[in-house]
Amino acid sequence: MHVIGTVGLPGSGKGEAATVAREEGIPVVTMGDVVRQETADRGLDPTKDHGSVAQALRDEHGPAAIAERSLPMIEDRLENHDAVVVDGLRSAVELDAFEKRFGEDFTLVSIEAPFEVRAERIDARGRDADANDGGEDLTTRDERERGFGMDDAMARADVVVENTDTLEAFHDRIRAIIREGTRACEEADALERDDEPTEARQS
Ligand SMILES: Nc1ncnc2c1ncn2[C@@H]1O[C@H](COP(=O)(O)OP(=O)(O)OP(=O)(O)O)[C@@H](O)[C@H]1O
């Protein structure tokens, strides 16, 4: 079993990392989906009201509410897969929740790129789809994300990926991290099987 979480400011490349995971056949649980689902369940508009619902969830159930709600989704995927990627941790409190549940099997990858690089990429991505593009809005978005305590989570990352080179180079790096994690987890599982008494293995 291996759970890889990603953390990074807007436009850093979390969505691209999720794409690579899916290409590798690894399911992705997006923490934003937890919020969107809750927004829909409350009869609100998931495209507009997700910010206030994310805040409401934290106010009502504590700062780890979204992480805790994503745990059953992750466990469900782990029934049929050796690895799962969790897209978009926001804080050290959420990291605590994942580490408590998955221990050594949880790896946090921090994806980082300078403000100007992220602003440019969001501009390019968002011409048609992204309402929040442009330098000024990115400042506000960065502040909101940092307000959740994202810097503390990033500081505790197991791996830091600087996404300042080409997209291809970034994909290669993420693919290598995923494959290395999968290999290490297979080795650990094999060791565990070797440790089991023969009768237990046969039953
Ligand atoms: N190394 C790169 N070179 C060129 N473009 C990139 C690179 N990395 C990411 N991009 C592009 O930058 C944009 C932002 O990346 P992505 O959507 O993965 O960020 P994100 O962290 O998921 O952002 P958000 O939190 O806003 O959803 C996308 O259009 C993506 O294709």
Side-chain angles (χ1 to χ4, degrees):
M1 164 173 89
H2 189 213
V3 181
I4 300 173
T6 58
V7 61
L9 286 164
S12 55
K14 302 179 298 293
E16 291 290 345
T19 301
V20 173
R22 290 190 190 96
E23 281 169 6
E24 293 288 301
I26 293 175
V28 178
V29 171
T30 303
M31 292 178 71
D33 286 347
V34 175
V35 179
R36 275 184 283 274
Q37 183 61 51
E38 178 71 19
T39 311
D41 289 349
R42 293 184 184 205
L44 299 168
D45 181 349
T47 59
K48 283 206 311 254
D49 301 320
H50 57 95
S52 55
V53 171
Q55 194 54 57
L57 273 172
R58 290 184 169 94
D59 292 345
E60 292 161 18
H61 303 283
I66 298 166
E68 276 155 10
R69 280 174 183 234
S70 67
L71 285 175
M73 291 164 105
I74 298 168
E75 278 156 4
D76 187 54
R77 306 297 190 282
L78 285 170
E79 298 269 315
N80 305 311
H81 295 84
D82 289 335
V84 171
V85 164
V86 190
D87 179 3
L89 274 82
R90 295 289 190 277
S91 69
V93 182
E94 293 182 340
L95 176 57
D96 289 339
F98 289 122
E99 285 185 343
K100 187 171 165 215
R101 172 64 189 81
F102 301 111
E104 291 289 301
D105 295 322
F106 188 80
T107 301
L108 184 65
V109 179
S110 176
I111 304 175
E112 303 180 9
F115 181 89
E116 281 75 20
V117 175
R118 292 185 291 112
E120 233 171 71
R121 288 179 186 159
I122 287 177
D123 263 348
R125 174 183 72 180
R127 243 166 237 137
D128 43 2
D130 212 318
N132 275 342
D133 64 351
E136 193 59 40
D137 281 331
L138 184 58
T139 307
T140 314
R141 288 182 66 192
D142 276 11
E143 272 166 13
R144 193 184 65 225
E145 304 283 10
R146 288 205 151 104
F148 293 134
M150 190 182 275
D151 287 329
D152 295 338
M154 290 170 86
R156 283 169 52 191
D158 301 289
V159 187
V160 175
V161 177
E162 298 283 351
N163 181 12
T164 44
D165 202 339
T166 63
L167 192 54
E168 196 190 359
F170 178 64
H171 279 201
D172 288 348
R173 179 86 178 93
I174 295 294
R175 199 174 295 114
I177 290 168
I178 289 173
R179 288 185 183 173
E180 168 61 23
T182 308
R183 196 186 56 73
C185 130
E186 277 166 5
E187 274 176 18
D189 286 351
L191 273 178
E192 218 168 85
R193 277 197 300 276
D194 285 348
D195 281 349
E196 279 175 25
T198 318
E199 313 85 76
R201 236 185 302 163
Q202 283 170 346
S203 64

